[in-house]
Amino acid sequence: MASLVTSSQLASKLQMDLDASSAQEAVDKASGLVRAVARQQFDFVSQETVILSGGMKKLVLPQRPPVIDAGANPLTVVELGDFGGVNFTCLDGRDFVRIGEELTRGQPWYYTVRVMGWPYTRVRGVWAPRVQVTYSHGYQTIPDEVQSVVLDAAAVLYDNPTGLRSVQIDDYTETKATEVLGAAMVASIRDKLGMVGARRQSFSIRTA
């Protein structure tokens, strides 16, 4: 997966000439770290198929934003029949309602006027144990606020690629800021992503 920012952007942020190899390594590592903390790919992915755990009223698509249209990016949702059961293709507006990345299955049994919740052999308003979803997601252009978080991390990694708390050369000792340490850096990224709404808790994007 490509880095979320470029080494040229990092050089512009730091306002200095950078070693090309070290700069690229820094943006690569920062991109991977931000993706791991956010639990998001960010890049646009066309028609990815995932199998999600159901059993509840709501199903949450793991990557956002979902890109769904009637043309090249349809949403296909199939409840998988376990132990030789029949797969059931669910239709938006009949069997579930989608709001953002949340798919709400049917209605509770007491909404007798609604046709949603087929088939009759399954509890109305509850997804099957396993659901296969095919959908497109991500950004054609990475948002500025996400790139800003990546560049902050890349700047730290470029300055201190090994993550050392202090560096000593002969009689000279330089103590780095606490933000360069692993746990503190991850916490900083998590907080920044939370402020821009780009971190997903568990597998489902919410701020802390």
Side-chain angles (χ1 to χ4, degrees):
M1 215 176 297
S3 294
L4 298 172
V5 298
T6 65
S7 56
S8 297
Q9 288 176 292
L10 179 59
S12 178
K13 174 182 175 61
L14 296 177
Q15 294 292 295
M16 57 186 293
D17 293 330
L18 305 180
D19 176 75
S21 177
S22 298
Q24 187 60 52
E25 182 179 5
V27 298
D28 288 346
K29 288 183 176 179
S31 297
L33 185 57
V34 169
R35 284 189 174 108
V37 174
R39 305 191 183 203
Q40 293 293 292
Q41 297 178 25
F42 294 113
D43 306 90
F44 178 75
V45 177
S46 177
Q47 294 297 280
E48 181 179 21
T49 297
V50 295
I51 296 178
L52 306 177
S53 295
M56 304 293 288
K57 182 177 180 61
K58 289 186 177 181
L59 196 70
V60 182
L61 301 177
Q63 295 291 323
R64 348 173 4 179
V67 179
I68 296 170
D69 57 61
N73 301 294
L75 171 66
T76 304
V77 182
V78 179
E79 292 185 315
L80 301 178
D82 291 325
F83 308 111
V86 177
N87 293 345
F88 178 73
T89 300
C90 299
L91 300 180
D92 191 353
R94 186 194 73 180
D95 306 302
F96 68 91
V97 171
R98 182 182 72 86
I99 299 179
E101 75 276 16
E102 293 185 345
L103 311 181
T104 301
R105 177 73 162 97
Q107 294 289 339
W109 62 270
Y110 45 82
Y111 284 98
T112 56
V113 297
R114 300 298 296 273
V115 298
M116 297 173 64
W118 297 84
Y120 288 124
T121 55
R122 186 167 292 140
V123 178
R124 290 168 67 83
V126 176
W127 287 102
R130 295 190 307 137
V131 184
Q132 178 178 289
V133 179
T134 300
Y135 72 116
S136 301
H137 56 79
Y139 300 94
Q140 297 284 0
T141 301
I142 305 301
D144 292 342
E145 55 269 27
V146 174
Q147 289 192 331
S148 178
V149 176
V150 177
L151 285 170
D152 286 346
V156 173
L157 291 169
Y158 182 83
D159 179 59
N160 185 17
T162 59
L164 295 177
R165 181 70 178 83
S166 62
V167 177
Q168 181 171 354
I169 302 176
D170 297 329
D171 294 332
Y172 170 76
T173 300
E174 178 182 357
T175 300
K176 303 291 185 178
T178 57
E179 287 75 11
V180 305
L181 302 178
M185 186 174 181
V186 168
S188 176
I189 292 173
R190 183 182 296 114
D191 290 343
K192 291 174 183 177
L193 290 171
M195 287 189 289
V196 301
R199 183 174 74 86
R200 181 173 291 280
Q201 291 181 337
S202 181
F203 72 95
S204 145
I205 220 165
R206 290 289 183 272
T207 59

